[in-house]
């Protein structure tokens, strides 16, 4: 199976454009429509906006500055199961670097090779192997190659430096590029990466099953979160150092608004520990961290939770070479080593980006910044820690890994540093990572500690304080608190 998919990957079609003519001028934007793959090219006050389709059906947008181009190219990743071209407007996941604000960057993004009703829709993958391969492996590489050609045609030269900026699925795409297309980008910014995607589907099914029927309700999440803060501190710098037990707020007798029932305690424990088999071995490399409770709402708590929608879409349409029967539900998922192994067949070949070997990317001179919020309740930060520990080992230790990569773990940071509600972004709590990445690539100045604004969970949120966050050494965890539900994971995978 892997050999077949790699053969498909090697044969990915990329549209060839004519050799560059004389340097293009902003007024010649409309002339780009003569290029294969370009369906429209329209100039406004700031950009030549180019849109079209790459084979077989990857829709894209490329924005070419009409003045002051820095020579830098930034490609934006997508979210969830993709299916729509991300908007190339600020904030690019909140990273407000000066050339982006001044509209002097070439920007590009695609729908990852398919059209979906929303980012939780997986129906496009049911019977389309090419769309699966595009989503999992090739779409971002194809766009980068094509955008280079369009840029060269418009300006008469290619970008001087290329960057990828993505979070969640975009973070997975960034790691996939570093692993499988190591010469494509000079700098990659990968936030909260969904890099271990196949086992993540098991985690989503696990949460859905554990909270079936709405056992843990949105009204109880602030109660649980307040108890965690009392035990661990208002802002938790590393949840492994806390030994909070949900049973400490168990209701004595009847259910009340200020406590958790036995069944609710069990759901909370399951969320902190993540999916496991009958022997207690983790089927995903981590659970949710203490402090993430408010963002459980909308993900696996409350009506129509997103974890259930995305998990079911994956199992029905992406997980296996032959799809399960039409009536398949998440109740049919078994949490066993056999299920894990079966998911990893296509997972490792197409969807996962879990290799710790970044030697080719490092040899190319590439620089990688990875960040993850400790309060992320969609993708466990422990999965990112686990992968980065392997990167450190493969590189020869922490010092060696720092020559080309950094990992930042953000206390109080929700998914992609938005939140805490799943559908409510908060820009004021987002640090700016793209500038230090560019500085590292172009000037050789490696980033050190960063200043991170933290916010309240109110609506609208208020700025609380700035933290100074140092790069993390995944091989040197702090001593775990006795009984911590966020420590001593025993992941069944590599």
């Amino acid at each position: 199976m892997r050999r077949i998919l790699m053969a498909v990957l090697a044969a990915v079609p990329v549209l060839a454009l004519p050799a560059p003519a004389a340097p293009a001028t902003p007024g010649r934007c409309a002339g780009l429509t003569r290029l294969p793959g370009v369906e429209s090219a329209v100039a406004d006050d700031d950009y030549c906006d180019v849109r079209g389709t790459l084979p077989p059906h990857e829709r894209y947008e490329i924005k070419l500055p009409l003045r002051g181009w820095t020579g830098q190219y930034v490609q934006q990743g997508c979210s969830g199961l993709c299916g729509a071209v991300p908007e190339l407007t600020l904030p690019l996941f909140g990273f407000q670097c000066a050339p982006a604000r001044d509209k002097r960057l070439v920007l590009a993004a695609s729908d990852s090779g398919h059209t979906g009703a929303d980012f939780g829709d997986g129906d496009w993958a049911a019977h389309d192997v090419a769309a699966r391969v595009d989503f999992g492996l090739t779409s971002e590489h194809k766009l980068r190659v094509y955008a280079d050609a369009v840029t060269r045609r418009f300006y008469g030269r290619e970008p001087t430096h290329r960057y990828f900026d993505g979070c969640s699925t975009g973070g997975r795409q960034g790691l996939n590029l570093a692993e499988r297309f190591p010469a494509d980008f000079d700098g990659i910014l990968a936030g909260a990466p969904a890099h271990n995607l196949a086992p993540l589907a098991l985690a989503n099914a696990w949460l859905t099953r554990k909270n079936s029927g709405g056992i843990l309700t949105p009204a109880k999440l602030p109660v649980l979160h307040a108890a965690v803060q009392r035990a661990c501190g208002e802002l938790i710098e590393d949840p492994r150092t806390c030994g909070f037990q949900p049973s400490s707020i168990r209701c004595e007798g009847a259910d009340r608004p200020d406590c958790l029932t036995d069944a609710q305690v069990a759901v909370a424990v399951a969320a902190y520990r993540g999916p496991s088999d009958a022997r207690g071995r983790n089927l995903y490399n981590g659970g949710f961290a203490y402090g993430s409770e408010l963002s459980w709402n909308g993900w696996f708590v409350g009506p129509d939770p997103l974890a259930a929608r995305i998990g079911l879409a994956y199992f029905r349409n992406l997980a296996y070479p032959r799809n399960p029967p039409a009536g398949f539900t998440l109740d049919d998922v078994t949490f066993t080593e056999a299920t894990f192994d079966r998911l990893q067949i296509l997972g490792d070949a197409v969807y996962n980006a879990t290799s710790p070997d970044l030697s080719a990317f490092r040899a190319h001179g590439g620089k990688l910044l990875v960040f993850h919020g400790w309060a992320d309740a969609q993708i466990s930060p422990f999965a990112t820690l686990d992968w980065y520990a392997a990167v450190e080992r493969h590189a020869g230790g922490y010092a060696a890994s720092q020559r080309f990569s950094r990992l930042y773990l953000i206390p109080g940071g929700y998914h992609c540093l938005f939140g805490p509600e799943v559908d409510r972004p908060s820009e004021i709590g987002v640090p700016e990572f793209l500038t230090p990445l560019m500085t590292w690539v172009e000037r050789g100045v490696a980033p050190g500690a960063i200043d991170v604004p933290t916010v309240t969970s109110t609506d609208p949120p208020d700025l609380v304080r700035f933290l100074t966050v140092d790069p993390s050494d995944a091989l040197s965890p702090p001593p775990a608190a006795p009984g911590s539900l966020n420590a001593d994971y025993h992941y069944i995978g590599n």
Side-chain angles (χ1 to χ4, degrees):
M1 175 65 72
R2 185 173 180 82
R3 287 196 300 272
I4 294 172
L5 288 166
M6 291 303 102
V8 171
L9 174 59
V12 168
V14 176
L15 292 178
L17 299 187
T25 62
R28 293 176 58 189
C29 177
L32 293 177
T33 55
R34 294 192 294 270
L35 301 177
V38 174
E39 296 164 5
S40 69
V42 179
D44 59 19
D45 291 340
D46 300 304
Y47 294 104
C48 174
D49 189 278
V50 183
R51 301 179 188 232
T53 303
L54 302 178
H57 34 228
E58 179 181 354
R59 294 177 300 148
Y60 70 85
E61 179 182 10
I62 303 170
K63 296 176 81 72
L64 304 160
L66 295 181
R67 60 190 65 84
W69 180 40
T70 62
Q72 297 158 318
Y73 168 80
V74 178
Q75 187 168 312
Q76 178 70 51
C78 63
S79 301
L81 297 178
C82 304
V85 180
E87 291 187 15
L88 291 175
T89 56
L90 292 179
L92 292 177
F93 279 111
F95 307 118
Q96 303 263 14
C97 65
R101 290 197 308 268
D102 296 340
K103 302 177 182 179
R104 293 184 287 119
L105 300 175
V106 170
L107 304 174
S110 83
D111 63 5
S112 195
H114 62 272
T115 299
D118 54 45
F119 67 79
D121 173 27
D123 289 348
W124 52 269
H127 307 290
D128 192 336
V129 174
R132 293 187 186 188
V133 173
D134 255 1
F135 168 74
L137 289 177
T138 59
S139 62
E140 301 312 298
H141 168 68
K142 290 195 303 183
L143 177 60
R144 202 285 295 168
V145 173
Y146 187 74
D148 260 17
V150 171
T151 302
R152 182 174 65 246
R153 189 68 174 170
F154 189 65
Y155 295 109
R157 62 187 176 100
E158 294 184 354
T160 55
H161 297 93
R162 300 168 181 85
Y163 299 93
F164 185 84
D165 169 10
C167 189
S168 196
T169 292
R172 178 188 65 80
Q173 291 171 329
L175 298 189
N176 173 63
L177 289 162
E179 294 169 18
R180 294 183 168 107
F181 302 97
D184 273 9
F185 290 89
D186 304 299
I188 293 175
L189 184 58
H195 63 291
N196 204 13
L197 189 61
L200 182 59
L202 270 177
N204 289 338
W206 170 266
L207 291 166
T208 301
R209 291 268 292 277
K210 290 297 181 180
N211 203 41
S212 177
I215 296 169
L216 184 60
T217 63
K220 290 296 183 77
L221 296 180
V223 175
L224 178 60
H225 183 65
V228 168
Q229 287 187 314
R230 288 193 298 271
C232 307
E234 181 183 359
L235 194 67
I236 304 169
E237 294 195 9
D238 193 311
R240 292 170 290 188
T241 62
C242 181
F244 172 75
Q245 294 290 329
S247 57
S248 63
I249 56 170
R250 177 183 284 119
C251 297
E252 298 294 337
D255 186 11
R256 301 192 314 274
D258 61 346
C259 60
L260 300 185
T261 66
D262 286 347
Q264 291 169 341
V265 167
V267 172
V269 171
Y272 294 131
R273 292 304 298 167
S276 61
D277 66 6
R279 295 167 55 186
R281 299 176 300 173
N282 283 91
L283 301 172
Y284 182 67
N285 38 2
F288 295 149
Y290 296 134
S292 65
E293 298 79 20
L294 295 180
S295 58
W296 297 1
N297 187 28
W299 185 243
F300 73 96
V301 175
D304 192 25
L306 282 171
R309 292 183 57 213
I310 293 178
L312 184 58
Y314 187 90
F315 272 99
R316 281 182 172 174
N317 303 305
L318 288 90
Y320 306 117
R322 179 177 295 177
N323 294 334
F328 179 92
T329 72
L330 293 182
D331 288 335
D332 298 314
V333 176
T334 58
F335 300 99
T336 64
E337 183 176 5
T339 300
F340 177 90
D341 289 342
R342 189 178 173 212
L343 283 172
Q344 291 292 56
I345 294 172
L346 283 188
D348 282 338
V350 182
Y351 307 120
N352 298 341
T354 54
S355 171
D357 183 0
L358 302 181
S359 54
F361 180 71
R362 176 179 55 189
H364 167 66
K367 299 295 186 283
L368 172 68
L369 290 189
V370 181
F371 68 87
H372 210 132
W374 270 124
D376 191 338
Q378 296 185 42
I379 300 170
S380 171
F382 294 108
T384 298
L385 261 173
D386 192 32
W387 170 79
Y388 194 73
V391 170
E392 290 184 36
R393 292 189 195 97
H394 194 280
Y398 177 70
S401 72
Q402 298 302 281
R403 297 187 186 115
F404 66 94
S405 66
R406 293 287 192 277
L407 169 64
Y408 291 94
L409 295 169
I410 313 301
Y414 293 94
H415 186 58
C416 292
L417 307 186
F418 293 159
E421 301 293 343
V422 170
D423 59 352
R424 182 163 62 84
S426 169
E427 296 172 24
I428 68 170
V430 179
E432 204 282 284
F433 280 111
L434 199 52
T435 296
L437 178 61
M438 290 177 170
T439 301
W440 194 8
V441 168
E442 298 175 31
R443 302 180 191 173
V445 181
I450 59 167
D451 290 331
V452 180
T454 62
V455 300
T456 66
S457 58
T458 58
D459 186 9
D462 294 320
L463 183 66
V464 177
R465 65 177 76 114
F466 276 91
L467 297 177
T468 299
V469 180
D470 292 308
S472 294
D473 181 355
L475 293 179
S476 298
S484 175
L485 297 173
N486 282 163
D488 298 321
Y489 292 108
H490 302 287
Y491 179 48
I492 200 171
N494 296 321

